[in-house]
Amino acid sequence: MGSPVSAAEDSLLRHRSFVAFWLARTCSSFGFQMFSVAVSWQIYALTHSAMALGMIGLMQFLPSVLLALPAGHLADQLDRRRIVLLGQFIEWLALLGLVALTLMNWAGKIEIWGLVFLISVAKALEWPAITSMLPALVPPPILARAMAASSVGGQAAVIIGPTLGGFLYVAGPEVVYGVSALFYLFSIVLVSRLRYERPPQARLPMNLPNLFAGVRFIRDRKDVLGVISLDLFAVLLGGATALLPIFAQDILHTGPWGLGILRGAPSVGALLVGVWLSRHKLEKNVGMIMFGSVAGFGVATLVFALSTQLWLSVIALAALGGFDMVSMVIRGALVQLDTPDDMRGRVNAVNAIFINTSNQLGEFESGLLAAWMGAVPAAAIGGIGTLIVVGVWMTIFPHLRKRQKLENETVT
């Protein structure tokens, strides 16, 4: 069981390394969100091609899946802080490359795709390392609050970053890339200065058994398997937000401004709930709270699917984002606390593959169902499917359902 936490330790602000980590992740998130808006606008302005826009998504998706397991292995073997610094330094250089190419009018679609791919490779390398660092920066009893606070920074970036990038784009894409690079530079400085200590690890070869050690670990730990698979199916079925343009135009009869409000609503709900979670502990019944939150996500999806009023749809999407934040924080903390430090990189890498794949497949599934039977039935089926998954998972993972605390006494 986690040891009691003193009043001083209970405050996230007292942990300077966590504060530096939070600021670094928030800065890099802002930089990435601004870059994402600018690169999409620039590609479309150059090509006027939907396929060219789709290639940006492909350039980001492939490295995140193909490099996840090797990156997870490296995160468990090497200095995680140095891996994060290397990844962010490569991203910073790529952004400077975009600035230079744009200023010299050399930025064609091939050059932009290439630098997007380079940034995606660096992010794939960085992700397992940076997510595995957090449990070492705060005591276990306040890890969930730290994860909520970290998510708040990310949600703020999702809400504000694209808007800021859009305003700056008026002055040219090179300005957006330059400001994004500045955010990354702040992050690099902060990561380089935070204190992160970890004993040297025994060197293991990068062979198939070691690369897939995370998969075996998840399979053997029932609570971790339950949490990650629940996340996989909930995300896979909850892809209704991919249909927002259809709902905005054909069902809610609103324009681009209404679509913007609908797109922002889940992030606003997640941000508000994340702020609350960062200040309050989840001390009991965490299993039922998690399942209840995923069920709430399904109900909110169903309400959104059946709504014909803009205000109700916005409330449903905000609730959807809030419920998702609760379940995400609990799921994330359970996985981190149930996983020994020498396995966290590989387990987080497998989790990242599931999340990235289910996000992409969830949008595809929603689009396919919408093409077959319409947007409303497609979104409603997603909500009902989520509720069914919750019921099934509560039955086949009874220990997870009965779990009281985030800390697992059996993990050393």
Side-chain angles (χ1 to χ4, degrees):
M1 174 155 325
S3 58
V5 183
S6 69
E9 289 178 314
D10 195 50
S11 171
L12 291 173
L13 296 178
R14 295 294 184 111
H15 299 274
R16 293 185 178 181
S17 291
F18 169 73
V19 174
F21 177 88
W22 184 87
L23 288 171
R25 289 204 68 179
T26 301
C27 284
S28 61
S29 295
F30 267 89
F32 182 76
Q33 291 296 331
M34 293 172 62
F35 147 77
S36 298
V37 167
V39 81
S40 297
W41 273 103
Q42 188 177 21
I43 277 285
Y44 194 69
L46 288 170
T47 65
H48 298 287
S49 165
M51 180 62 73
L53 280 176
M55 283 294 293
I56 294 176
L58 186 65
M59 292 297 102
Q60 294 176 324
F61 175 70
L62 288 177
S64 70
V65 173
L66 297 178
L67 298 179
L69 293 182
H73 179 81
L74 292 175
D76 285 337
Q77 295 289 293
L78 305 178
D79 186 324
R80 288 168 179 164
R81 188 178 66 162
R82 290 186 178 181
I83 294 174
V84 173
L85 285 171
L86 175 62
Q88 294 197 349
F89 184 70
I90 293 171
E91 292 165 59
W92 179 68
L93 289 179
L95 286 166
L96 293 182
L98 284 167
V99 172
L101 288 174
T102 304
L103 285 174
M104 293 185 287
N105 294 317
W106 291 351
K109 64 181 182 180
I110 302 298
E111 292 79 10
I112 295 174
W113 285 340
L115 288 172
V116 168
F117 184 77
L118 181 60
I119 288 173
S120 303
V121 167
K123 286 190 75 67
L125 175 69
E126 171 196 350
W127 178 255
I130 199 166
T131 51
S132 299
M133 287 175 65
L134 183 54
L137 303 179
V138 295
I142 62 172
L143 177 61
R145 289 175 50 214
M147 295 187 73
S150 186
S151 296
V152 165
Q155 292 296 335
V158 168
I159 296 169
I160 302 171
T163 304
L164 182 58
F167 280 128
L168 291 175
Y169 195 91
V170 175
E174 69 276 6
V175 175
V176 186
Y177 298 139
V179 174
S180 298
L182 192 60
F183 273 113
Y184 268 96
L185 184 59
F186 289 150
S187 180
I188 290 168
V189 171
L190 287 163
V191 173
S192 68
R193 295 175 65 86
L194 72 81
R195 291 182 60 187
Y196 177 75
E197 298 177 1
R198 183 172 178 243
Q201 303 297 303
R203 290 289 181 263
L204 299 172
M206 191 180 286
N207 53 29
L208 285 179
N210 287 326
L211 285 176
F212 283 89
V215 177
R216 293 196 304 275
F217 179 88
I218 292 169
R219 182 195 63 198
D220 295 338
R221 297 291 179 102
K222 295 301 182 185
D223 281 6
V224 177
L225 176 63
V227 164
I228 290 180
S229 56
L230 177 67
D231 187 29
L232 170 67
F233 283 100
V235 172
L236 185 62
L237 292 167
T241 51
L243 306 176
L244 284 180
I246 300 174
F247 275 88
Q249 181 171 328
D250 299 340
I251 295 162
L252 303 173
H253 305 294
T254 185
W257 66 273
L259 176 59
I261 293 173
L262 291 169
R263 284 198 182 281
S267 293
V268 171
L271 179 66
L272 294 174
V273 173
V275 169
W276 189 89
L277 287 173
S278 69
R279 300 175 63 86
H280 297 84
K281 289 183 186 177
L282 296 168
E283 296 185 308
K284 59 182 181 179
N285 297 321
V286 295
M288 283 304 297
I289 292 172
M290 179 189 69
F291 281 118
S293 297
V294 180
F297 179 91
V299 170
T301 301
L302 192 56
V303 171
F304 169 75
L306 301 177
S307 169
T308 57
Q309 301 294 323
L310 179 61
W311 64 269
L312 181 58
S313 297
V314 169
I315 291 173
L317 288 172
L320 179 150
F323 282 123
D324 189 45
M325 173 62 77
V326 176
S327 62
M328 182 182 69
V329 166
I330 294 176
R331 293 193 311 259
L334 282 173
V335 171
Q336 296 279 34
L337 291 169
D338 278 18
T339 305
D341 185 64
D342 62 349
M343 284 293 303
R344 281 193 179 116
R346 284 167 286 182
V347 169
N348 284 329
V350 176
N351 198 15
I353 291 175
F354 286 163
I355 292 171
N356 288 325
T357 303
S358 58
N359 272 319
Q360 302 290 334
L361 290 178
E363 292 186 6
F364 176 73
E365 174 264 343
S366 294
L368 194 63
L369 280 179
W372 282 349
M373 55 181 55
V376 171
I381 287 172
I384 294 169
T386 301
L387 292 173
I388 293 172
V389 166
V390 170
V392 172
W393 258 241
M394 288 176 70
T395 302
I396 62 178
F397 295 100
H399 184 267
L400 186 58
R401 184 185 75 237
K402 298 172 185 175
R403 186 153 171 169
Q404 293 295 307
K405 294 183 177 295
L406 291 171
E407 297 95 328
N408 189 337
E409 300 174 12
T410 63
V411 175
T412 58

mmCIF file of all heavy atoms in Angstrom, residues 291-307 316-317 319-320 323 379-380 382-388 390:
data_model
loop_
_atom_site.group_PDB
_atom_site.id
_atom_site.type_symbol
_atom_site.label_atom_id
_atom_site.label_comp_id
_atom_site.label_asym_id
_atom_site.label_seq_id
_atom_site.Cartn_x
_atom_site.Cartn_y
_atom_site.Cartn_z
ATOM 1 N N PHE A 291 -15.769 2.338 -14.527
ATOM 2 C CA PHE A 291 -16.820 1.741 -15.361
ATOM 3 C C PHE A 291 -18.011 2.708 -15.511
ATOM 4 O O PHE A 291 -18.596 2.825 -16.598
ATOM 5 C CB PHE A 291 -17.289 0.423 -14.757
ATOM 6 C CG PHE A 291 -16.371 -0.736 -15.038
ATOM 7 C CD1 PHE A 291 -15.750 -1.408 -13.998
ATOM 8 C CD2 PHE A 291 -16.139 -1.148 -16.333
ATOM 9 C CE1 PHE A 291 -14.898 -2.477 -14.258
ATOM 10 C CE2 PHE A 291 -15.297 -2.217 -16.602
ATOM 11 C CZ PHE A 291 -14.665 -2.880 -15.561
ATOM 12 N N GLY A 292 -18.368 3.398 -14.421
ATOM 13 C CA GLY A 292 -19.461 4.367 -14.498
ATOM 14 C C GLY A 292 -19.147 5.503 -15.449
ATOM 15 O O GLY A 292 -20.038 5.979 -16.180
ATOM 16 N N SER A 293 -17.901 5.928 -15.491
ATOM 17 C CA SER A 293 -17.507 7.019 -16.388
ATOM 18 C C SER A 293 -17.577 6.575 -17.848
ATOM 19 O O SER A 293 -18.023 7.344 -18.712
ATOM 20 C CB SER A 293 -16.091 7.488 -16.050
ATOM 21 O OG SER A 293 -16.041 8.013 -14.745
ATOM 22 N N VAL A 294 -17.127 5.345 -18.133
ATOM 23 C CA VAL A 294 -17.210 4.849 -19.511
ATOM 24 C C VAL A 294 -18.679 4.679 -19.912
ATOM 25 O O VAL A 294 -19.068 4.977 -21.052
ATOM 26 C CB VAL A 294 -16.430 3.529 -19.673
ATOM 27 C CG1 VAL A 294 -16.533 3.020 -21.111
ATOM 28 C CG2 VAL A 294 -14.961 3.721 -19.301
ATOM 29 N N ALA A 295 -19.512 4.220 -18.964
ATOM 30 C CA ALA A 295 -20.954 4.135 -19.245
ATOM 31 C C ALA A 295 -21.534 5.528 -19.496
ATOM 32 O O ALA A 295 -22.362 5.713 -20.406
ATOM 33 C CB ALA A 295 -21.672 3.457 -18.080
ATOM 34 N N GLY A 296 -21.110 6.523 -18.693
ATOM 35 C CA GLY A 296 -21.546 7.901 -18.917
ATOM 36 C C GLY A 296 -21.141 8.403 -20.283
ATOM 37 O O GLY A 296 -21.897 9.124 -20.956
ATOM 38 N N PHE A 297 -19.937 8.019 -20.722
ATOM 39 C CA PHE A 297 -19.471 8.350 -22.075
ATOM 40 C C PHE A 297 -20.434 7.787 -23.123
ATOM 41 O O PHE A 297 -20.805 8.472 -24.087
ATOM 42 C CB PHE A 297 -18.065 7.782 -22.261
ATOM 43 C CG PHE A 297 -17.445 8.015 -23.607
ATOM 44 C CD1 PHE A 297 -16.666 9.137 -23.842
ATOM 45 C CD2 PHE A 297 -17.636 7.109 -24.643
ATOM 46 C CE1 PHE A 297 -16.084 9.350 -25.088
ATOM 47 C CE2 PHE A 297 -17.062 7.317 -25.884
ATOM 48 C CZ PHE A 297 -16.276 8.437 -26.101
ATOM 49 N N GLY A 298 -20.854 6.523 -22.910
ATOM 50 C CA GLY A 298 -21.788 5.907 -23.852
ATOM 51 C C GLY A 298 -23.139 6.595 -23.857
ATOM 52 O O GLY A 298 -23.727 6.825 -24.927
ATOM 53 N N VAL A 299 -23.660 6.944 -22.668
ATOM 54 C CA VAL A 299 -24.960 7.634 -22.573
ATOM 55 C C VAL A 299 -24.872 9.010 -23.243
ATOM 56 O O VAL A 299 -25.790 9.415 -23.981
ATOM 57 C CB VAL A 299 -25.393 7.770 -21.101
ATOM 58 C CG1 VAL A 299 -26.614 8.686 -20.981
ATOM 59 C CG2 VAL A 299 -25.701 6.397 -20.510
ATOM 60 N N ALA A 300 -23.772 9.739 -22.992
ATOM 61 C CA ALA A 300 -23.602 11.062 -23.605
ATOM 62 C C ALA A 300 -23.546 10.948 -25.129
ATOM 63 O O ALA A 300 -24.098 11.789 -25.851
ATOM 64 C CB ALA A 300 -22.331 11.729 -23.065
ATOM 65 N N THR A 301 -22.884 9.895 -25.621
ATOM 66 C CA THR A 301 -22.835 9.664 -27.072
ATOM 67 C C THR A 301 -24.231 9.415 -27.624
ATOM 68 O O THR A 301 -24.606 9.927 -28.687
ATOM 69 C CB THR A 301 -21.924 8.457 -27.388
ATOM 70 O OG1 THR A 301 -20.612 8.707 -26.890
ATOM 71 C CG2 THR A 301 -21.852 8.205 -28.884
ATOM 72 N N LEU A 302 -25.035 8.657 -26.886
ATOM 73 C CA LEU A 302 -26.406 8.357 -27.312
ATOM 74 C C LEU A 302 -27.267 9.613 -27.316
ATOM 75 O O LEU A 302 -28.053 9.846 -28.256
ATOM 76 C CB LEU A 302 -26.994 7.299 -26.376
ATOM 77 C CG LEU A 302 -28.295 6.620 -26.790
ATOM 78 C CD1 LEU A 302 -28.162 5.974 -28.156
ATOM 79 C CD2 LEU A 302 -28.695 5.582 -25.749
ATOM 80 N N VAL A 303 -27.131 10.447 -26.277
ATOM 81 C CA VAL A 303 -27.888 11.707 -26.219
ATOM 82 C C VAL A 303 -27.501 12.602 -27.401
ATOM 83 O O VAL A 303 -28.364 13.188 -28.069
ATOM 84 C CB VAL A 303 -27.635 12.438 -24.889
ATOM 85 C CG1 VAL A 303 -28.233 13.851 -24.922
ATOM 86 C CG2 VAL A 303 -28.232 11.645 -23.724
ATOM 87 N N PHE A 304 -26.193 12.683 -27.681
ATOM 88 C CA PHE A 304 -25.747 13.485 -28.819
ATOM 89 C C PHE A 304 -26.342 12.951 -30.122
ATOM 90 O O PHE A 304 -26.802 13.721 -30.978
ATOM 91 C CB PHE A 304 -24.217 13.481 -28.898
ATOM 92 C CG PHE A 304 -23.694 14.070 -30.177
ATOM 93 C CD1 PHE A 304 -23.700 15.438 -30.381
ATOM 94 C CD2 PHE A 304 -23.214 13.240 -31.193
ATOM 95 C CE1 PHE A 304 -23.245 15.983 -31.577
ATOM 96 C CE2 PHE A 304 -22.757 13.774 -32.382
ATOM 97 C CZ PHE A 304 -22.772 15.150 -32.572
ATOM 98 N N ALA A 305 -26.344 11.630 -30.273
ATOM 99 C CA ALA A 305 -26.859 11.031 -31.508
ATOM 100 C C ALA A 305 -28.324 11.378 -31.738
ATOM 101 O O ALA A 305 -28.744 11.609 -32.877
ATOM 102 C CB ALA A 305 -26.685 9.510 -31.452
ATOM 103 N N LEU A 306 -29.112 11.434 -30.654
ATOM 104 C CA LEU A 306 -30.559 11.635 -30.794
ATOM 105 C C LEU A 306 -30.977 13.098 -30.711
ATOM 106 O O LEU A 306 -32.134 13.431 -30.967
ATOM 107 C CB LEU A 306 -31.288 10.838 -29.702
ATOM 108 C CG LEU A 306 -31.037 9.320 -29.715
ATOM 109 C CD1 LEU A 306 -31.750 8.652 -28.556
ATOM 110 C CD2 LEU A 306 -31.481 8.717 -31.051
ATOM 111 N N SER A 307 -30.034 13.990 -30.361
ATOM 112 C CA SER A 307 -30.371 15.400 -30.184
ATOM 113 C C SER A 307 -30.605 16.095 -31.532
ATOM 114 O O SER A 307 -29.910 15.829 -32.519
ATOM 115 C CB SER A 307 -29.236 16.112 -29.437
ATOM 116 O OG SER A 307 -29.413 17.516 -29.484
ATOM 117 N N ALA A 316 -24.138 17.529 -24.366
ATOM 118 C CA ALA A 316 -23.818 16.097 -24.441
ATOM 119 C C ALA A 316 -22.345 15.882 -24.762
ATOM 120 O O ALA A 316 -21.684 15.016 -24.168
ATOM 121 C CB ALA A 316 -24.698 15.423 -25.505
ATOM 122 N N LEU A 317 -21.798 16.678 -25.685
ATOM 123 C CA LEU A 317 -20.391 16.529 -26.043
ATOM 124 C C LEU A 317 -19.473 16.968 -24.898
ATOM 125 O O LEU A 317 -18.424 16.357 -24.670
ATOM 126 C CB LEU A 317 -20.080 17.349 -27.304
ATOM 127 C CG LEU A 317 -20.655 16.785 -28.606
ATOM 128 C CD1 LEU A 317 -20.450 17.773 -29.750
ATOM 129 C CD2 LEU A 317 -20.003 15.440 -28.949
ATOM 130 N N ALA A 319 -20.266 16.739 -21.724
ATOM 131 C CA ALA A 319 -20.359 15.630 -20.758
ATOM 132 C C ALA A 319 -19.513 14.447 -21.223
ATOM 133 O O ALA A 319 -18.817 13.809 -20.416
ATOM 134 C CB ALA A 319 -21.816 15.206 -20.589
ATOM 135 N N LEU A 320 -19.552 14.171 -22.517
ATOM 136 C CA LEU A 320 -18.738 13.102 -23.090
ATOM 137 C C LEU A 320 -17.258 13.326 -22.783
ATOM 138 O O LEU A 320 -16.542 12.405 -22.353
ATOM 139 C CB LEU A 320 -18.999 13.052 -24.599
ATOM 140 C CG LEU A 320 -18.289 12.046 -25.495
ATOM 141 C CD1 LEU A 320 -19.196 11.713 -26.680
ATOM 142 C CD2 LEU A 320 -16.976 12.608 -26.016
ATOM 143 N N PHE A 323 -16.656 12.807 -18.893
ATOM 144 C CA PHE A 323 -16.628 11.389 -18.515
ATOM 145 C C PHE A 323 -15.344 10.717 -19.021
ATOM 146 O O PHE A 323 -14.744 9.900 -18.322
ATOM 147 C CB PHE A 323 -17.846 10.661 -19.080
ATOM 148 C CG PHE A 323 -19.120 10.901 -18.315
ATOM 149 C CD1 PHE A 323 -20.248 11.419 -18.947
ATOM 150 C CD2 PHE A 323 -19.191 10.595 -16.965
ATOM 151 C CE1 PHE A 323 -21.421 11.638 -18.243
ATOM 152 C CE2 PHE A 323 -20.365 10.808 -16.242
ATOM 153 C CZ PHE A 323 -21.485 11.337 -16.881
ATOM 154 N N ALA A 379 -23.993 6.902 -34.813
ATOM 155 C CA ALA A 379 -23.578 7.420 -33.502
ATOM 156 C C ALA A 379 -24.320 6.711 -32.375
ATOM 157 O O ALA A 379 -23.729 6.410 -31.318
ATOM 158 C CB ALA A 379 -23.827 8.931 -33.439
ATOM 159 N N ALA A 380 -25.606 6.416 -32.582
ATOM 160 C CA ALA A 380 -26.388 5.730 -31.551
ATOM 161 C C ALA A 380 -25.860 4.324 -31.299
ATOM 162 O O ALA A 380 -25.760 3.878 -30.147
ATOM 163 C CB ALA A 380 -27.863 5.673 -31.964
ATOM 164 N N GLY A 382 -22.827 3.390 -31.677
ATOM 165 C CA GLY A 382 -21.591 3.566 -30.916
ATOM 166 C C GLY A 382 -21.859 3.719 -29.429
ATOM 167 O O GLY A 382 -21.187 3.108 -28.595
ATOM 168 N N GLY A 383 -22.857 4.539 -29.073
ATOM 169 C CA GLY A 383 -23.197 4.734 -27.662
ATOM 170 C C GLY A 383 -23.719 3.465 -27.022
ATOM 171 O O GLY A 383 -23.313 3.094 -25.912
ATOM 172 N N ILE A 384 -24.630 2.761 -27.723
ATOM 173 C CA ILE A 384 -25.183 1.510 -27.186
ATOM 174 C C ILE A 384 -24.086 0.455 -27.069
ATOM 175 O O ILE A 384 -24.000 -0.277 -26.072
ATOM 176 C CB ILE A 384 -26.333 1.012 -28.087
ATOM 177 C CG1 ILE A 384 -27.514 1.991 -28.027
ATOM 178 C CG2 ILE A 384 -26.776 -0.395 -27.673
ATOM 179 C CD1 ILE A 384 -28.578 1.736 -29.079
ATOM 180 N N GLY A 385 -23.213 0.396 -28.069
ATOM 181 C CA GLY A 385 -22.109 -0.561 -28.043
ATOM 182 C C GLY A 385 -21.182 -0.333 -26.859
ATOM 183 O O GLY A 385 -20.708 -1.294 -26.229
ATOM 184 N N THR A 386 -20.935 0.932 -26.537
ATOM 185 C CA THR A 386 -20.097 1.252 -25.389
ATOM 186 C C THR A 386 -20.727 0.748 -24.098
ATOM 187 O O THR A 386 -20.047 0.182 -23.229
ATOM 188 C CB THR A 386 -19.865 2.776 -25.297
ATOM 189 O OG1 THR A 386 -19.238 3.226 -26.503
ATOM 190 C CG2 THR A 386 -18.988 3.128 -24.112
ATOM 191 N N LEU A 387 -22.026 0.924 -23.953
ATOM 192 C CA LEU A 387 -22.731 0.444 -22.758
ATOM 193 C C LEU A 387 -22.673 -1.087 -22.660
ATOM 194 O O LEU A 387 -22.500 -1.641 -21.571
ATOM 195 C CB LEU A 387 -24.186 0.905 -22.793
ATOM 196 C CG LEU A 387 -24.406 2.419 -22.636
ATOM 197 C CD1 LEU A 387 -25.872 2.772 -22.864
ATOM 198 C CD2 LEU A 387 -23.962 2.883 -21.258
ATOM 199 N N ILE A 388 -22.781 -1.759 -23.796
ATOM 200 C CA ILE A 388 -22.690 -3.227 -23.793
ATOM 201 C C ILE A 388 -21.286 -3.670 -23.371
ATOM 202 O O ILE A 388 -21.132 -4.608 -22.566
ATOM 203 C CB ILE A 388 -23.052 -3.785 -25.188
ATOM 204 C CG1 ILE A 388 -24.541 -3.539 -25.486
ATOM 205 C CG2 ILE A 388 -22.717 -5.272 -25.285
ATOM 206 C CD1 ILE A 388 -24.950 -3.885 -26.906
ATOM 207 N N VAL A 390 -19.188 -2.087 -21.469
ATOM 208 C CA VAL A 390 -19.045 -1.864 -20.026
ATOM 209 C C VAL A 390 -19.653 -3.033 -19.248
ATOM 210 O O VAL A 390 -19.036 -3.574 -18.313
ATOM 211 C CB VAL A 390 -19.705 -0.533 -19.608
ATOM 212 C CG1 VAL A 390 -19.782 -0.425 -18.077
ATOM 213 C CG2 VAL A 390 -18.919 0.645 -20.155
#
